[in-house]
Amino acid sequence: VDQAKRKEVIREQVSAVAKAEGGLPINDEELLDEVTYILEWPTALAGSFEEKYLQIPAELIITPMREYQRYFPVHAADGKLLPRFITVRNGDDKGLELVREGNEKVLRARLADAEFFWNEDLKLDLVETAKKLSTVVYQEQLGDMAHRLARMQKLAALIGDKLAYTDIEQAQTARAAAICKSDLLSRAVFEFTELQGVMGEYYAQAAGEEPQVAAAVREHYLPRFAGDELPATKAGIALAIAERLDSLAGFFAIGLKPTGSQDPYALRRAASGIVQIIVERKLQLSVSELVAAAYRQFAAEVELSCGEQQTVEAVCEFIGQRLVVLLTDKDYKQDTVAACFAAGADNLLEAARRVAALDEYRRGEGFAELTAGFTRAANILKKAQAPKAAVDPALFADEAEGQLYEAAESALINVNRALQAGDYAAALAAVGCLRAAIDSFFEKVMVMDNDERVKNNRLALLGTVISLTADIADLSLLR
């Protein structure tokens, strides 16, 4: 009755039977959970299938086993699939031979179908098949899959250009883009939709495509979930980002963005995928520039209900929210993330790097005092609403003003040098050198002087100090 105990009984039985068959069961917690909840009295037993089926892709064997029959595949120590399977009967161990024969008969029919699908699909010309995608609707308002594929090709080329792909890498990206959706019209994917991309790679390999091209066909669906593997090839990276940008720009442009827990088009997953790829693969890309390019492609084809600026801003904010989730999941404090995002997050990689640098820097000695000074300066500037003007040293009436001005000028040189090198830790360290001068300024100087020119000059000085971190973070948001 205890499902936790029943689950462990099944796990132990499956492992023991697999070992007796000379192999190991493929670890599949989701299938184990499903089996646990659909039977009451588990009894595991082994079955076999003809070795000839091992000539077809392993996924075409495992998928019908798992999805239709709830069998556990068995593999050897080297990871290769064995012509064995394990099923769990709901009942005792009586008549197991008859049960085994029945399961083998059912699987034999499934694998015969899979073999037929494979052999027939190998006859497909991938480029010619891609032309038939015009018969497949992508979304009622956004057109068919052929148009989607064409948009992805252009976006992938743009991404490759922004990432300085070589001519060879761009050619591989273009080739992969031309055939990456062809397997949607294959018999195998029609039967097993979860194998889209996976089968595409096999078909590309069989057609003699370059390894990078074939791999990109599968990789452009990655990552499928948080923690999943990421595209490894240049072509796969460009295509994976392009596909997700096309989805986000299109659906947001026609007003179909996620609301609350409703996300029927998996747009949060698409945005998370973009974030994971850009941050983990360390890509220097402007999200707004790419979203705008994706939007313009739709605008040339279909009628949209949202304007370009509105769509770009909404999609960028949506993607930025996914980066916030990623960073907070890594245990960065929310105010650290908010402070860095206030300085902009169009370049996701640099935003993530700034968060990491600020998180490390704020652990250091004296940072709380520095933040207090910046917060005080920011609050004064918000309330004063003084006109923007250059600092005039001739109007300094106190030595502390001159000291802060000189310290800010020196820090500006060091901050700019560090930012050009992408060294946010060094930039923050340069700003940290202002702490004593800021403390002295607030101790000795009355900012809101009766003389309007002196007051505005002091406000301009505080504005200069605040601007030092404008490209890093808004330190006044830290608590």
Side-chain angles (χ1 to χ4, degrees), residues 333 356-371 425 428-429 432 435 478:
K333 294 182 178 180
L358 182 57
D359 178 75
E360 181 66 28
Y361 186 70
R362 72 182 295 183
R363 302 172 193 269
E365 184 178 351
F367 185 79
E369 292 80 358
L370 176 66
T371 304
L428 287 167
R435 184 167 63 88
L478 298 178

Side-chain angles (χ1 to χ4, degrees), residues 14 58 85 88 174 244 259 287 317 320 376 451:
V14 169
F85 68 88
V88 185
R244 289 160 174 80
T259 55
V287 174
E317 181 183 0
R376 184 175 179 183
D451 187 321

